[in-house]
Amino acid sequence: MTPANSGNSLTVTDNRTGKTYEVPVENGAFKTMDFRQIKESDDDFGLLGYDPGFLNTASCKSNITFIDGDRGILRYRGYPIEQLAEHSTFLETAYLLIKGELPDQERLSQWTFNIRHHTMTHSNLVKFMDGFRYDAHPMGILVGTVGALSTFYPDAKDIGNIDSRKLQIRRLIGKIPTLAAMSFRHSMGFPYVQPDNDLSFAGNFLSMMFRMTELRYTPNPVLERALDVLFILHADHEQNCSTNAVRAVGSSGVDPYTAVAAGCAALYGPKHGGANEAVIRMLMEIGSVDKVPEFIQSVKAGSGRLMGFGHRVYKNYDPRAKIIKKIAFEVFEETGRSPLLDIALELERIALEDDYFISRKLYPNVDFYSGLIYQAMGFPMDMFPVLFAIGRIPGWLSQWSEHVKDGDQKIARPRQIYLGEAERDWVAVDSRPRNRVEEQLHDTCRL
Ligand code: ACO
């Protein structure tokens, strides 16, 4: 092979055959398809990359979010997360993620108007919601109802049409908080609250969650701002599990409601959207500050993990965790201090001085303090992943849009390395050897 730029290439020698290949390198990556030509013999399929969990495989080129995990850097469209958290609003950040630039005042006002006027849901969705059992998990309800939106908006199938894409994006950002609040009210047996479009994005969500008999809900401005910043911090995180799900499902050409429902489904898992709940459970289990050293010892001895610590990408303090810690103090000024906060602070203090955590580069991540804030605001633990989903929606949609427009993309369809049986002939049921059947049953039970 002749690479495009031979100074920017790999020279690969296949020791099985002694043949040498040159593989182009672009943007610090090679195309695994360029390895397909490397064969042991003519009828060989060619070399594959094996990378479960995509630890070292880029699935796309993206202009949206930049992370440098070693230096603790997170930027949306080039803007540091710290600046957005301090100066921006969630809706402005959503605009930035989706459109690529910060809006001027006129565009921001129009965008805000557009989102606010898509907050209501079709009344049939209420019947759909009512069909869930009284104790249904709000995240399960969100997965189902976001998917159901696709049946209300069949025009969304026209994903090649930019105007249609824009409309679905506004609808989804506007309606997700409404569905989220309805899922909570359903589980509590409370009547649903209609959106109040005079309130901010976060204020309206708090109203739909917590308004009772008052004529008008007035959100606490500190909690309203804290929630808005938490949404900003969760708005995107490049190719994480749920975003990858949105892109993979979207690559089939399906409408964005169905693709985003797949993102919600991925976020439902405890390894993704559920870690802040695990932090709260861990803090409750520790119980008091004086038990912290004993707990740290048990983690070091291998009896469990310090939840809310460590990250696949960040090998430094997660920049979002620093901002969240500050918000936690602001929120507790309003709500009263949770005794769990003192346990968390002591855990962090000891862990950051302990060689076990230092040598493994384990620092607090986004989940270490976020659950404490949500709990102080009155959200039940079941709602934590739902809150994550509200924040992540602009990220999913900007990544989905980028994917739809990306000419390099194809339907997501990984390869496998087949290690099963070679071809064999079917055997009549009476002739199957007994030990073979038992072996299969044993394997099935293990599944
Ligand atoms: N507590 C104690 N030890 C830990 C922790 C932790 N939280 N995290 C990692 N380690 C140790 C591992 O035991 C391992 O030690 P070893 O080398 O002696 O075997 C080493 O650090 C590396 O751990 P890995 O599991 O290989 O790291 P990985 O990058 O795969 O895992 C993860 C990252 C899953 C986040 C991990 O740090 C973890 O389980 N943390 C706790 C759960 C959590 O907070 N998850 C939320 C992540 S943020 C988010 O998803 C939004």
Side-chain angles (χ1 to χ4, degrees), residues 171-367:
R171 282 177 174 157
L172 264 161
I173 298 176
K175 287 180 206 314
I176 287 257
T178 313
L179 296 177
M182 285 168 83
S183 72
F184 165 71
R185 309 263 320 183
H186 174 79
S187 64
M188 300 298 287
F190 294 155
Y192 305 126
V193 175
Q194 287 302 312
D196 180 344
N197 291 341
D198 291 333
L199 293 174
S200 71
F201 184 87
N204 173 49
F205 176 60
L206 288 169
S207 164
M208 292 189 292
M209 284 286 300
F210 299 123
R211 187 172 144 200
M212 298 307 279
T213 54
E214 63 270 43
L215 284 180
R216 186 106 201 266
Y217 181 86
T218 310
N220 174 316
V222 175
L223 305 192
E224 183 183 7
R225 176 63 190 157
L227 190 58
D228 205 58
V229 175
L230 282 161
F231 288 152
I232 293 174
L233 300 180
H234 285 91
D236 197 42
H237 214 230
E238 50 123 298
Q239 306 313 311
N240 56 88
C241 176
S242 57
T243 300
N244 182 54
V246 171
R247 279 187 178 255
V249 172
S251 76
S252 71
V254 77
D255 66 85
Y257 301 100
T258 309
V260 166
C264 293
L267 199 59
Y268 198 174
K271 286 188 185 163
H272 192 11
N276 47 11
E277 177 179 340
V279 172
I280 299 289
R281 294 197 189 285
M282 172 189 77
L283 297 176
M284 291 193 307
E285 196 187 308
I286 297 171
S288 59
V289 172
D290 57 305
K291 301 267 173 53
V292 169
E294 190 187 318
F295 179 77
I296 294 269
Q297 282 310 321
S298 71
V299 168
K300 286 164 61 177
S303 81
R305 290 200 164 188
L306 178 48
M307 298 311 290
F309 258 67
H311 198 279
R312 170 61 58 75
V313 178
Y314 294 116
K315 300 301 170 195
N316 200 324
Y317 214 103
D318 180 339
R320 301 167 300 173
K322 276 189 193 150
I323 302 166
I324 287 182
K325 187 175 176 185
K326 189 166 157 270
I327 299 173
F329 284 103
E330 289 164 11
V331 167
F332 286 131
E333 281 283 307
E334 298 295 311
T335 61
R337 194 178 170 104
S338 160
L340 297 183
L341 177 67
D342 294 315
I343 302 175
L345 288 169
E346 183 65 358
L347 269 176
E348 183 188 351
R349 190 189 67 76
I350 297 186
L352 291 182
E353 289 172 355
D354 191 300
D355 192 53
Y356 175 94
F357 297 91
I358 296 170
S359 61
R360 290 170 178 78
K361 299 186 175 172
L362 300 171
Y363 295 88
N365 60 46
V366 69
D367 290 315

Side-chain angles (χ1 to χ4, degrees), residues 4-48:
N5 175 354
S6 54
N8 213 356
S9 64
L10 296 178
T11 302
V12 179
T13 302
D14 184 349
N15 293 324
R16 300 170 305 173
T17 60
K19 284 191 192 159
T20 296
Y21 304 81
E22 228 176 314
V23 175
V25 174
E26 200 187 329
N27 300 315
F30 61 84
K31 290 183 179 162
T32 43
M33 271 305 283
D34 287 339
F35 276 69
R36 183 73 72 74
Q37 61 177 319
I38 303 178
K39 299 179 177 195
E40 256 188 310
S41 59
D42 285 345
D43 58 357
D44 182 1
F45 183 76
L47 215 55
L48 292 175

